[in-house]
Amino acid sequence: MSHPAPDPAGAPNASWSSTAGGRPPLLRLPEPRRVPPTDPASVLPEEYLLDSRRDLLRRLIRRSWAAALVLWPLWLCLVALYVLGTSPTFWLLSLLAAIADSSLLRQTTVMMGFSGGGLLFAFLGLPLLATALSLLLLSASAAWAGRIRPRELLDETAFQRAVSLRAALPLLAPAYAVIALLVLAVMVQAPLQWRGLSAGALSSLAMGIGLCLIAQTILRRVLSAPRLLGVPSPGELERTVMIGPREERREAAGRLRAQDRRHLPPHREEFGPASVLRALRVTARGWCLWVVPAGLGLAWIVFAITDVVVLFSRLSSVSSWQQQAPAQLPWQLLVISVPLGALTALGLGLAPFAAIRTSRSLRGRVTDLRTHPVWSDRVAVNPWEGAVATRTGLAQAGVVLIAVVVLGMTLALAGALTAVGWVWLVLDVLVLVPFVGVAGTWAMRRHLRYVVYGRAGAYMRRRTPWAMVAPLFGTRADRADDPVVIAEIRRRRRAEVGEYGLEPVGPDPDGTAGHSGSGGSGGAGSAGPTGSGATGAPGVGDAPVGLPDFGADDGAPTPGGGRRQAPGHAIPGSTTELRER
């Protein structure tokens, strides 16, 4: 990436060794300029990674057996969790008692609202049907992954992560949808075996969501970009850059990572609703990595212990405990959580901008605006960015802590704060709030530029051969015949030769021979065959192209104003013929 030179009058006093590779520090950079968006209709055929979406779908189908080995156990576990979620502890005791008397297990099945035939179909048929339904969404995976534009992603790692995520997520969409619909059905009192969000049901939900996240991680490895697209992994590109052939290092370095043009701190601190939404998006990404796994683990442990306590307390106090409704979440919690959750989300979205405002004093300590890939190098020359990331994490942790305290006080005043509620409040303060701070700092270290400016692809293009993974419609051959693509080829050729005013010799995209000169469309010369390359450049798989004769067909001037044919232009066949001329 070429940067404008810093202002000599304001050149920094810092040593050049403070930047990576001993390069001079860059300050006073102008506002990053946006680049025109990529028009999918004008992408050249050789700039597609795959021939068509159908090709990508075929590759996904060839890997469907591995995806099925992940999806079938997932659906089997979800069915088992639904059955056991009515009362996990009672099911466990019944299974132990069934060793001595098998009739007790049948009694438990009927007591929980199930039947033997229904359970048999649920465990044998439902996982197979659900797996088949999930695999039917492979076409959606191909359509979604085919739209990825590699040049607009900052590095190869981000590109390959996007491919694996878009390939795996549609396959897991039915599982997430079933869990969400189950919770909604229980809340509206649908006729299900779950009569409420009891402790057993909540522990099963926590484990089910956790299993979906684990399956998503495995599916992303099964459907990784190197396996699907045949591209080298980022590790292989790094090895090529370090120890590969010299002629391949530059290309591998360009594909591996592009220079981020969204420098920090920004020139203006003016942010709108779109910036807040971007902050919420990256915060949610950090939560999925740090907060959600910790919360699901705690939820499964706490609610499983609660189910044990509820079961034995009922057995000791009421003889016919099974006729009573299971312990459910208090309705006050649901009523309070909705507005409090909305305010908490707003506070999380505004936290990065509060950190930016409070870090203004550190702008003068920035010695280099270049975006270093390694965080330790970046924060060494840009303490402003490090302060914003740390203060954002602290601010978000403070917002969540205030929300937890307000929720606890409200439930206590409403008389709905139980022993389990107290346990959750303590765990939130001691465990989840620190994880929220870590997640906020992690998100800002990696995505602060996205929050401030937006997508990296709006300001740069990575040096990779591919503009898109697959055409939106048709194949490469179909795109080569499209008039929009032909016009784009001509435009690029004119842009390449505009400095010299000459067009390259060779066939035009429409099959006519090229000509010299910057103007005119019907130059003389023998027409060669149309090249098969998408750019129309001769020399690769084309027949020899006739060169222009530069006036060989023109004759000498005649008295009538025309030109007579001048002899001697043809190549002589022998020395005798040459002497006769």
Side-chain angles (χ1 to χ4, degrees), residues 426-516:
V426 173
L427 291 177
D428 287 343
V429 173
L430 297 181
V431 179
L432 294 186
V433 169
F435 272 106
V436 169
V438 172
T441 302
W442 177 90
M444 291 303 110
R445 285 184 176 184
R446 288 159 178 80
H447 305 292
L448 180 58
R449 285 164 177 77
Y450 171 73
V451 174
V452 175
Y453 290 104
R455 298 181 304 105
Y459 301 92
M460 65 88 208
R461 290 293 182 267
R462 186 162 56 98
R463 296 200 309 268
T464 181
W466 309 298
M468 288 188 67
V469 173
L472 296 180
F473 305 100
T475 63
R476 286 173 176 159
D478 298 333
R479 300 305 305 152
D481 297 334
D482 191 291
V484 177
V485 176
I486 296 175
E488 178 65 16
I489 294 175
R490 291 174 174 169
R491 186 194 67 79
R492 295 191 187 187
R493 293 173 70 177
R494 293 193 187 96
E496 290 176 359
V497 302
E499 181 180 355
Y500 305 99
L502 295 174
E503 294 190 5
V505 175
D508 287 334
D510 55 3
T512 60
H515 57 278
S516 65

Side-chain angles (χ1 to χ4, degrees), residues 73-83 175 179 207-209 211-212:
L74 172 64
W75 284 107
L76 184 62
C77 291
L78 292 180
V79 171
L81 288 174
Y82 175 76
V83 174
I179 293 176
M207 180 172 286
I209 297 174
L211 289 176
C212 288

Side-chain angles (χ1 to χ4, degrees), residues 83-171:
V83 174
L84 298 177
T86 52
S87 182
T89 306
F90 190 71
W91 275 107
L92 178 61
L93 295 178
S94 300
L95 290 174
L96 294 177
I99 299 176
D101 187 1
S102 59
S103 62
L104 292 177
L105 185 59
R106 290 192 296 270
Q107 294 177 6
T108 303
T109 301
V110 175
M111 184 184 305
M112 295 299 176
F114 299 99
S115 62
L119 288 180
L120 185 64
F121 173 75
F123 281 98
L124 296 181
L126 278 182
L128 293 176
L129 293 176
T131 301
L133 175 63
S134 300
L135 293 179
L136 288 177
L137 297 176
L138 284 174
S139 58
S141 298
W144 197 18
R147 292 177 174 271
I148 297 177
R149 302 172 183 177
R151 291 177 181 172
E152 297 185 9
L153 296 175
L154 195 59
D155 52 31
E156 186 70 13
T157 302
F159 163 60
Q160 298 195 8
R161 284 177 179 173
V163 170
S164 62
L165 178 63
R166 295 192 181 194
L169 198 57
L171 305 183

Side-chain angles (χ1 to χ4, degrees), residues 102-269:
S102 59
S103 62
L104 292 177
L105 185 59
R106 290 192 296 270
Q107 294 177 6
T108 303
T109 301
V110 175
M111 184 184 305
M112 295 299 176
F114 299 99
S115 62
L119 288 180
L120 185 64
F121 173 75
F123 281 98
L124 296 181
L126 278 182
L128 293 176
L129 293 176
T131 301
L133 175 63
S134 300
L135 293 179
L136 288 177
L137 297 176
L138 284 174
S139 58
S141 298
W144 197 18
R147 292 177 174 271
I148 297 177
R149 302 172 183 177
R151 291 177 181 172
E152 297 185 9
L153 296 175
L154 195 59
D155 52 31
E156 186 70 13
T157 302
F159 163 60
Q160 298 195 8
R161 284 177 179 173
V163 170
S164 62
L165 178 63
R166 295 192 181 194
L169 198 57
L171 305 183
L172 291 169
Y176 288 118
V178 166
I179 293 176
L181 291 176
L182 176 61
V183 174
L184 182 62
V186 172
M187 294 179 64
V188 299
Q189 298 296 318
L192 298 173
Q193 285 77 13
W194 288 13
R195 295 179 176 84
L197 293 177
S198 61
L202 291 173
S203 64
S204 294
L205 284 175
M207 180 172 286
I209 297 174
L211 289 176
C212 288
L213 294 178
I214 295 174
Q216 179 176 324
T217 303
I218 299 175
L219 270 181
R220 292 184 64 177
R221 293 184 175 272
V222 169
L223 303 177
S224 62
R227 289 191 173 100
L228 283 180
L229 308 179
V231 296
S233 65
E236 295 177 2
L237 290 177
E238 289 182 358
R239 285 193 294 271
T240 302
V241 172
M242 298 296 295
I243 60 176
R246 186 176 300 275
E247 61 273 8
E248 298 179 4
R249 293 180 183 178
R250 179 176 178 83
E251 180 184 357
R255 290 178 56 183
L256 184 62
R257 186 178 297 108
Q259 178 63 44
D260 198 341
R261 299 176 183 269
R262 304 167 298 174
H263 55 76
L264 292 177
H267 287 265
R268 294 172 295 179
E269 296 181 357

Side-chain angles (χ1 to χ4, degrees), residues 188-477:
V188 299
Q189 298 296 318
L192 298 173
Q193 285 77 13
W194 288 13
R195 295 179 176 84
L197 293 177
S198 61
L202 291 173
S203 64
S204 294
L205 284 175
M207 180 172 286
I209 297 174
L211 289 176
C212 288
L213 294 178
I214 295 174
Q216 179 176 324
T217 303
I218 299 175
L219 270 181
R220 292 184 64 177
R221 293 184 175 272
V222 169
L223 303 177
S224 62
R227 289 191 173 100
L228 283 180
L229 308 179
V231 296
S233 65
E236 295 177 2
L237 290 177
E238 289 182 358
R239 285 193 294 271
T240 302
V241 172
M242 298 296 295
I243 60 176
R246 186 176 300 275
E247 61 273 8
E248 298 179 4
R249 293 180 183 178
R250 179 176 178 83
E251 180 184 357
R255 290 178 56 183
L256 184 62
R257 186 178 297 108
Q259 178 63 44
D260 198 341
R261 299 176 183 269
R262 304 167 298 174
H263 55 76
L264 292 177
H267 287 265
R268 294 172 295 179
E269 296 181 357
E270 299 176 0
F271 310 104
S275 301
V276 177
L277 293 178
R278 292 196 295 264
L280 286 176
R281 181 178 179 181
V282 301
T283 299
R285 191 177 302 178
W287 278 44
C288 289
L289 183 63
W290 297 94
V291 183
V292 173
L296 292 176
L298 290 176
W300 180 76
I301 294 173
V302 171
F303 289 124
I305 295 175
T306 303
D307 184 71
V308 174
V309 173
V310 170
L311 173 62
F312 283 100
S313 63
R314 285 177 171 176
L315 285 174
S316 60
S317 59
V318 183
S319 58
S320 58
W321 65 271
Q322 66 275 12
Q323 298 179 359
Q324 293 187 359
Q328 303 181 16
L329 291 177
W331 63 269
Q332 295 91 340
L333 176 62
L334 301 177
V335 172
I336 298 171
S337 298
V338 174
L340 186 60
L343 293 176
T344 303
L346 179 61
L348 294 175
L350 295 176
F353 309 107
I356 289 175
R357 297 296 176 88
T358 58
S359 303
R360 289 176 176 174
S361 60
L362 298 176
R363 281 176 169 263
R365 296 175 56 185
V366 177
T367 59
D368 191 4
L369 296 179
R370 185 184 293 112
T371 305
H372 298 271
V374 181
W375 173 253
S376 58
D377 296 337
R378 196 189 316 169
V379 75
V381 298
N382 194 341
W384 180 91
E385 186 176 356
V388 170
T390 302
R391 293 177 184 183
T392 298
L394 294 175
Q396 291 185 346
V399 169
V400 174
L401 179 61
I402 294 174
V404 170
V405 172
V406 171
L407 178 62
M409 294 178 60
T410 307
L411 291 177
L413 293 176
L417 190 60
T418 61
V420 179
W422 281 109
V423 171
W424 265 115
L425 290 177
V426 173
L427 291 177
D428 287 343
V429 173
L430 297 181
V431 179
L432 294 186
V433 169
F435 272 106
V436 169
V438 172
T441 302
W442 177 90
M444 291 303 110
R445 285 184 176 184
R446 288 159 178 80
H447 305 292
L448 180 58
R449 285 164 177 77
Y450 171 73
V451 174
V452 175
Y453 290 104
R455 298 181 304 105
Y459 301 92
M460 65 88 208
R461 290 293 182 267
R462 186 162 56 98
R463 296 200 309 268
T464 181
W466 309 298
M468 288 188 67
V469 173
L472 296 180
F473 305 100
T475 63
R476 286 173 176 159

